[in-house]
Amino acid sequence: MIFRKLAVAAALLSSCSFYSYADIETKKIEKVIETSMARFDVPGMAVAIVENDQVVLAKGFGVSHLDTGKKVNKDTLFGIASNTKAFTAAALAKLIDEGKLSWDDKVIDHLPEFRLYDPYVTREMTIRDLLSHRSGLGLGQGDLMIWPDTDKSIDEIIAGLKYLKPASSFRSKYAYNNLMFVTAGEVVARVSGMSWNDYIEKNILQPLDMKNSRAGFSRIPSSNKNWATGHIPMDGQLHPFFVNYLEDFRGAGAIASSVSDMSHWLRTQLAHGKMPNGQQLFTEKQQQQMWHPHITSMASKSAYEAYHQQFRGYGLGWSIEDFHGIKKLGHGGGILGMVSQVTLLPEKNLGIVILSNQQAFSALSAVTYEVLEDALDLEDKDWVEDLAKKHFEGKKEAYANAKPETPADYQAKLPNINYTGTLHDNWYGDVVIEELNGQLRIDFTHTKRLKGQLEHYTGNTFIVKWDEKLLEADAYIEFQMSPDNRVSSAKMRAVSTAVTDFSFDFRNLDLRAKK
């Protein structure tokens, strides 16, 4: 926790200056971290805290994999997921500083093939629109093109955008969307003449001396075994679950990093773009753009009760809100079995990054709030226990309601053969329904992990049970039948939106029988 000391006077040459600084009692921080890990059943966590341009803590806790027992340290790599978005924004800021584009450039000027459902939005979409979640697309809409681990190329992903029907009008509403950041990453590639991955590594990570970080899991050298595996809790146990750190997400979520490396990123952010080596990564002018709310959303009652949130919005790759009257920037990142959290209080020159290999965000928030509490001299509160109570009560309720209700008017199904065939969605591609050994099976042809069995629910509605249960993504599939009782189309939706990750956006599929 952070404890402020009185300002001390020191004579420097002919002048007298006063300096206030924080004394971090690392043992107390570590106790909070260890308590949070134990309370939320987190195998491994790494934490770095930066204040007044100094790294006051950078340390790993627990293990990177339950089976191996290998210890987490400050250099252990985790997938930072959506914390990548701020790096993509910084890459564009750097290119803008070089005069190669502007925030208000039209996307089609750099990606001529870029098309959205609405021609007007296609024509008017700017770089800053891509980065501020105001495109009109819905929460996670189209994510099945990249989640979990598809075989689609960047060209195929961009080609699919024009089939996504908007959920709201352009620039009218905040809705978190990954595909616009994938597109932004491709803008970086076109403008710079190198891939997004190469640009990020050569022009962002290397100048920052983030020596172990990479813009994609496959780019981690084979000699570096110091990386974490995610863990998913199910049936009272933790299950190690490997994913490639969202490599398909590219500019939206593909970076692998450590808290040691991320501390350089925090210092640079808090120094208005000046890196620890004294050179400028991007100008303060561009940082002001990235830290300015470009779209707002309703303030949360629970957040007001917790820390007096009055507003919240989104800049360019950063979430922005007030925390007890202080401007707070940050972002979360989530992968199946792994989450991360970055927090900045620019007025206090304070930055925090937490990486973990379990998917309990509340475990990270508890540590963050404990640090912020002392940084702002707030009333003492047991954040670990407070958030744990809400977390576990919420999970209990979500899982209790996750099972489908018994149909009020059960109807028999048709013979299995009537449901078989290939369905096609214009943005995702082919989904195959076939009968194997008397059971109906479903195969999302671009996604290795989305294979499963159909269990009859009622009439022409089935429940998809994925072979990989740890996905926690059971879904309804409702077939519409032609006059000759063959499938003409199908709609899907998650059985439980409280349990299933929003990136399983089955609800946005428009499946039609393939001719």
Side-chain angles (χ1 to χ4, degrees):
M1 298 179 183
I2 300 175
F3 295 89
R4 301 276 170 188
K5 287 185 174 180
L6 296 174
V8 294
L12 296 176
L13 299 177
S14 60
S15 63
C16 190
S17 300
F18 289 87
Y19 293 86
S20 65
Y21 59 98
D23 182 13
I24 304 288
E25 295 194 18
T26 58
K27 295 299 181 184
K28 291 186 177 181
I29 296 173
E30 291 171 17
K31 184 176 180 181
V32 172
I33 293 166
E34 290 164 356
T35 300
S36 187
M37 289 174 64
R39 188 70 173 90
F40 290 94
D41 200 15
V42 177
M45 187 180 286
V47 180
I49 300 174
V50 169
E51 187 171 33
N52 296 329
D53 202 33
Q54 298 295 316
V55 180
V56 296
L57 177 68
K59 188 174 181 178
F61 302 82
V63 298
S64 60
H65 193 296
L66 274 180
D67 295 343
T68 67
K70 187 174 181 179
K71 299 293 185 182
V72 173
N73 59 36
K74 64 184 177 66
D75 295 314
T76 301
L77 294 174
F78 294 76
I80 69 169
S82 286
N83 278 298
T84 297
K85 290 178 170 65
F87 285 84
T88 297
L92 288 162
K94 186 173 178 64
L95 291 167
I96 290 168
D97 281 332
E98 294 169 0
K100 295 180 178 179
L101 77 162
S102 79
W103 296 117
D104 294 310
D105 279 2
K106 301 297 194 293
V107 176
I108 54 173
D109 290 342
H110 300 286
L111 304 180
E113 75 276 26
F114 176 76
R115 297 289 183 276
L116 292 175
Y117 189 83
D118 186 331
Y120 169 79
V121 181
T122 298
R123 186 175 69 249
E124 295 299 319
M125 179 78 72
T126 64
I127 304 302
R128 70 171 75 241
D129 291 323
L130 290 178
L131 302 180
S132 53
H133 302 302
R134 61 186 195 185
S135 66
L137 293 175
L139 173 66
Q141 191 171 359
D143 274 358
L144 284 172
M145 283 196 272
I146 54 177
W147 166 277
D149 303 340
T150 72
D151 62 8
K152 283 183 172 285
S153 68
I154 184 66
D155 290 341
E156 290 173 320
I157 293 167
I158 291 175
L161 295 176
K162 63 180 174 287
Y163 299 111
L164 295 169
K165 297 179 181 180
S168 65
S169 57
F170 185 39
R171 295 176 182 157
S172 67
K173 183 183 293 187
Y174 169 85
Y176 195 86
N177 187 272
N178 289 303
L179 293 185
M180 294 298 94
F181 271 86
V182 174
T183 304
E186 185 60 12
V187 172
V188 171
R190 299 290 178 88
V191 172
S192 68
M194 61 181 74
S195 69
W196 171 85
N197 313 73
D198 284 345
Y199 186 88
I200 290 293
E201 290 182 2
K202 293 178 181 179
N203 293 277
I204 305 291
L205 302 182
Q206 290 176 18
L208 281 167
D209 195 29
M210 296 177 67
K211 58 186 177 180
N212 292 316
S213 301
R214 295 293 186 275
F217 182 86
S218 67
R219 301 167 75 93
I220 300 172
S222 58
S223 58
N224 187 355
K225 307 296 184 184
N226 189 13
W227 48 269
T229 298
H231 297 75
I232 297 176
M234 181 176 281
D235 299 328
Q237 297 183 57
L238 285 178
H239 302 265
F241 190 81
F242 172 77
V243 292
N244 66 359
Y245 292 6
L246 301 186
E247 189 144 354
D248 289 349
F249 277 55
R250 300 168 179 85
I255 291 177
S257 192
S258 66
V259 295
S260 179
D261 282 358
M262 288 292 288
S263 69
H264 303 310
W265 174 243
L266 297 183
R267 290 175 65 190
T268 300
Q269 290 291 331
L270 293 168
H272 310 296
K274 183 179 287 188
M275 296 182 286
N277 63 13
Q279 298 178 358
Q280 204 76 24
L281 182 65
F282 49 79
T283 62
E284 184 174 358
K285 177 182 178 181
Q286 303 312 332
Q287 185 181 65
Q288 289 172 347
Q289 291 288 326
M290 292 184 280
W291 284 8
H292 172 72
H294 284 66
I295 190 78
T296 59
S297 54
M298 292 294 291
S300 161
K301 180 180 178 181
S302 61
Y304 177 81
E305 292 172 349
Y307 49 86
H308 296 284
Q309 180 192 75
Q310 301 280 359
F311 80 90
R312 60 176 178 169
Y314 200 88
L316 305 177
W318 290 96
S319 295
I320 306 165
E321 63 180 338
D322 66 322
F323 185 88
H324 291 286
I326 299 291
K327 184 175 184 177
K328 173 175 168 284
L329 297 109
H331 217 289
I335 302 171
L336 289 167
M338 187 174 289
V339 292
S340 60
Q341 192 170 86
V342 170
T343 304
L344 300 172
L345 291 188
E347 294 172 57
K348 298 296 181 180
N349 291 312
L350 177 69
I352 308 159
V353 56
I354 308 178
L355 311 176
S356 77
N357 59 356
Q358 208 260 64
Q359 55 194 35
F361 264 114
S362 295
L364 284 61
S365 296
V367 175
T368 298
Y369 288 149
E370 286 283 358
V371 175
L372 297 181
E373 178 183 275
D374 289 332
L376 300 178
D377 295 323
L378 301 173
E379 180 182 352
D380 184 51
K381 186 175 182 179
D382 187 348
W383 282 102
V384 172
E385 193 55 38
D386 182 69
L387 292 183
K389 181 179 179 181
K390 294 175 182 176
H391 172 81
F392 289 110
E393 286 179 354
K395 285 193 70 172
K396 182 178 180 181
E397 181 180 357
Y399 282 96
N401 296 324
K403 295 180 180 179
E405 296 180 1
T406 302
D409 181 22
Y410 176 81
Q411 298 176 16
K413 67 180 182 69
L414 297 169
N416 285 349
I417 193 66
N418 292 62
Y419 302 104
T420 60
T422 299
L423 297 165
H424 181 79
D425 174 83
N426 284 331
W427 56 266
Y428 175 81
D430 289 350
V431 174
V432 175
I433 309 293
E434 59 185 339
E435 184 178 17
L436 292 174
N437 300 320
Q439 296 290 332
L440 285 174
R441 301 275 304 167
I442 188 168
D443 179 358
F444 274 63
T445 59
H446 294 287
T447 317
K448 287 183 178 180
R449 279 196 163 106
L450 290 185
K451 322 292 180 188
Q453 184 170 307
L454 303 190
E455 294 185 357
H456 185 241
Y457 180 63
T458 183
N460 295 319
T461 301
F462 294 75
I463 295 174
V464 180
K465 296 284 187 177
W466 305 106
D467 296 339
E468 178 51 82
K469 293 182 174 59
L470 292 175
L471 297 179
E472 297 188 296
D474 288 359
Y476 294 107
I477 182 166
E478 182 179 354
F479 296 103
Q480 286 77 47
M481 312 302 289
S482 66
D484 61 352
N485 274 334
R486 300 295 300 185
V487 173
S488 60
S489 63
K491 296 294 290 182
M492 295 184 67
R493 58 187 173 90
V495 170
S496 171
T497 56
V499 170
T500 298
D501 191 286
F502 66 77
S503 284
F504 289 105
D505 67 316
F506 304 121
R507 63 199 176 278
N508 292 308
L509 292 167
D510 184 16
L511 296 165
R512 304 281 172 171
K514 196 169 184 179
K515 302 299 184 183

